Amino acid sequence: ENGIDLTDLADKKDDRYISGFSPGKYQGISEMHDLIIDPGNIRGNNCLYLVMNGWIFPTDASINYAVSQTGKSLSIPPYLQVMDRDGNWKTIIENIGFPMGKNKTVITDISGKFLSADRRIRIRTNMEIYWDYICFATTCYENTVRSTSLLPGKSDLHFRGFSSLYRKGGRYGPHWFDYARVSTEPKWRDLTGNYTRYGDVGELLLDDDNRYIIMNAGDEVSIEFEATGLPVLPKGWTRNFLIHSIGWVKDGDLNTTNGQEVMPLPYHGMDQYPYSKSDRYPETDDLKVYNRKYNTRAVTGQKFKDEIRELVD
């Protein structure tokens, strides 16, 4: 909206991010800002996708709690506008979504959405989103994807530690992780409770059956897949691999409900987390056996307290 040409920041995936918007009162929420994208001389209007890759600097539980006390929602997800025949911006998609973390891609179907010959698109939001790469896809493919599922074979849960952080992309890039450099010193106060014991956890990853690995900070699970049974690729085809995972995450923010402990355990079918009045953890025989067999690693906050005490001393 300031008339600054940002094309060189968005025309390739190079860890150089669109930025420059004014910060707001809270982390993760900026002043409202516009990004106008001109696809140029595109062919037709019947098959067109907007592809945007980037990362989001998020709010946290304490900020969300503070915002909730204002009585209004201050976070406005990106919405998409196009120009009508009278020269006015009109919202055609209320929420296009946003990168769910770091280096994520948002794909928006804008086929047939233009209201005039003007092909410019305007994205508006006050979320702190840094876009790295923007492009358009103008070809529609049908029946050209075949999916083959591979179940995990050997899976091992163990403690590894914490990969060193570095800034990927300079001042406006996300923090990234150097897997080759690791520290085993405690970094956060542990959520207390019972975690999954170390060792073979293969059977827990075979189905979404409420039997899951409960991992603490610094834990790692290594998973091997048996790929010899994959079908031979037809001529001219390529193969990509996607990891499909189902689970929950709970942080230790002081304003996260039950954020000091592992319990209560989440489960499929609950109305909400933390539990509503009608939610009850399913005490089935299978889950009782699972909890007795696997979730036997008791974690307290004592180790973290000892580390802090040593630093103070």
Side-chain angles (χ1 to χ4, degrees), residues 98-112:
F98 52 86
M100 302 292 283
K102 305 173 183 180
N103 192 26
K104 303 296 183 180
T105 299
V106 175
I107 302 176
T108 306
D109 185 357
I110 53 175
S111 306

Side-chain angles (χ1 to χ4, degrees), residues 203-205 207-213 286-287 290 294:
E203 69 170 318
L204 301 183
L205 301 180
D207 203 354
D208 54 336
D209 54 4
N210 291 320
R211 301 189 308 154
Y212 40 77
I213 303 169
D286 285 346
L287 290 183
Y290 149 73
Y294 283 101

Side-chain angles (χ1 to χ4, degrees), residues 183-246:
S183 169
T184 58
E185 300 299 322
K187 292 182 71 70
W188 297 286
R189 175 190 51 79
D190 293 307
L191 277 66
T192 60
N194 275 23
Y195 292 78
T196 303
R197 58 100 177 108
Y198 291 142
D200 181 18
V201 289
E203 69 170 318
L204 301 183
L205 301 180
L206 299 179
D207 203 354
D208 54 336
D209 54 4
N210 291 320
R211 301 189 308 154
Y212 40 77
I213 303 169
I214 305 176
M215 300 177 67
N216 192 19
D219 287 348
E220 176 183 76
V221 58
S222 55
I223 307 171
E224 296 181 7
F225 295 87
E226 178 55 61
T228 56
L230 286 172
V232 177
L233 289 177
K235 184 179 180 180
W237 282 53
T238 59
R239 175 173 283 132
N240 290 319
F241 292 91
L242 302 176
I243 295 178
H244 176 76
S245 60
I246 298 174

Side-chain angles (χ1 to χ4, degrees), residues 15-27:
D15 299 318
R16 297 169 62 239
Y17 298 89
I18 293 175
S19 57
F21 36 83
S22 300
K25 183 178 180 181
Y26 301 101
Q27 167 191 299

Side-chain angles (χ1 to χ4, degrees), residues 82-90 115-118 120 122:
V82 298
M83 196 74 74
D84 66 13
R85 293 181 179 179
D86 296 325
N88 302 310
W89 290 109
K90 296 294 183 181
L115 304 178
S116 69
D118 192 328
R120 289 178 298 165
R122 182 164 76 168

Side-chain angles (χ1 to χ4, degrees), residues 116-152:
S116 69
D118 192 328
R119 291 297 190 257
R120 289 178 298 165
I121 295 167
R122 182 164 76 168
I123 308 292
R124 305 202 76 205
T125 185
N126 69 348
M127 299 179 75
E128 198 169 338
I129 301 174
Y130 298 88
W131 299 111
D132 181 20
Y133 177 56
I134 300 173
C135 69
F136 291 87
T138 58
T139 304
C140 291
Y141 294 94
E142 295 181 2
N143 301 322
T144 56
V145 175
R146 296 179 186 174
S147 177
T148 303
S149 296
L150 297 174
L151 289 176

